[in-house]
Amino acid sequence: MADKMTLNRKLVLEDGSVYPGRGFGAKTEHACELFFNTAVVGYQEMISDPSCTDAIAVMTYPLIGNYGITDEDFESKVPTLGGLVVSEYNDQPSNFRYTKTLSEVMEDFDIPGIEGIDTRALTRHIRDNGVCRAIIVDIDLPTEEALEKIACTPIPHDQVMRVSCRKKWYSRTANHKYNVVAVDCGIKTSIIRALNERGCNVTVVPWNTTAFEILKMKPDGVLISNGPGSSDDVKPVVETVRELRGKVPVFGISLGHLIIAKAYGATTTKLKFGHHGGNHPVRNLATGKIEITSQGHACVVNPESIADTMTITHVNVIDNTIEGLSCPADRVFSVQYHPESNPGPQDSDYLFDQFIALMKGE
């Protein structure tokens, strides 16, 4: 890592804003969309979450890296984050479980990082002006050249194709009771683990697996996973859900929620700066309870586009956006947030039990 006093890298936003700092991780350049994440812990889970593919994360919590990286806590085998921006990076972790520093892992997976930036000011900039694209470059590179690099980088639409598995694979558990097929749009390991813990054998299949192929596996339920990018880029999965509904219980998480909404004819809108972090309050409309949730999405379902057969089950307390949908007649439901919530909070893990109940026929 660079000397603490040396400013050797800078973050350049597409509007021309420049934030000098010190580099860590890989010394590469990726022009990506910039977002802020309000989680206090869980940077390892965030950098390895496939939903963050091709994005640069700004961590609002001021100290990052202090507990290192642990082999067991990755959400994917190959992290695909575009970059990491922090106020202060700690390269000397204090954690008996850690096996590598955050910077070492970022070097391994070609993820650039920058520290020493006023992340509060940067977060306010994103909040006030909306998400934008940015790039981390050497401090000596003229800003005009950095802006040209951003402008010349096409906006990707193939993230799900890149992060999804290439062929089906299995995660089995002893004395299983249910067989679940998980459509991998960028699935987190902790989602599979949550299903295994509830007695489910999980068959993970590529994103473009057809409904016909899934039904041949005779699943008790189908999960449509989280993932990066837009639901507009995964039309085959939308069609798969259309063909599965009413034939088998279906549970959608994050991107899977948007896909299910699209399968029922709804439309989506991109948020000004998204919901990212582990402290978002959501109201369960059935119970009235406020659940603190973990989120990572940029789009939401338009309320006026929801079909009469669908019911809104959860709403965001802060901006009243839709966080959950259900079609009881088809045994289909979904949530915009992450019920597995690693590393927390655990307020919404009951949704996996709800999925189990549907598979039981309750």
Side-chain angles (χ1 to χ4, degrees), residues 177-190:
K177 297 178 181 178
Y178 311 100
N179 291 300
V180 172
V181 170
V183 178
D184 180 9
C185 297
I187 195 167
K188 293 172 65 178
T189 299
S190 54

Side-chain angles (χ1 to χ4, degrees), residues 300-325:
V300 291
V301 178
N302 292 319
E304 68 277 3
S305 69
I306 296 173
D308 293 339
T309 53
M310 297 290 280
T311 301
I312 299 173
T313 59
H314 299 76
V315 295
N316 190 293
V317 173
I318 296 173
D319 59 13
N320 210 39
T321 52
I322 295 171
E323 295 279 4
L325 290 169

Side-chain angles (χ1 to χ4, degrees), residues 8 19 27 77 80 119 193 229 279 291 319 321-322 324 345:
N8 59 359
Y19 295 82
K27 296 179 181 179
K77 293 180 180 179
T80 48
T119 51
R193 189 181 304 125
N279 46 16
E291 302 166 12
D319 59 13
T321 52
I322 295 171

Side-chain angles (χ1 to χ4, degrees), residues 222 224 231 234-235 237-252 255-268 301-312 324-334 358:
V222 176
I224 312 297
S231 54
V234 287
K235 292 178 181 176
V237 194
V238 174
E239 186 57 36
T240 294
V241 172
R242 283 199 185 105
E243 296 179 22
L244 288 174
R245 58 187 180 182
K247 298 174 183 175
V248 63
V250 180
F251 178 23
L255 179 63
H257 164 80
L258 300 176
I259 289 169
I260 285 174
K262 283 264 174 95
Y264 282 84
T267 59
T268 61
V301 178
N302 292 319
E304 68 277 3
S305 69
I306 296 173
D308 293 339
T309 53
M310 297 290 280
T311 301
I312 299 173
L325 290 169
S326 173
C327 179
D330 289 342
R331 296 178 295 165
V332 172
F333 74 106
S334 61
L358 283 179

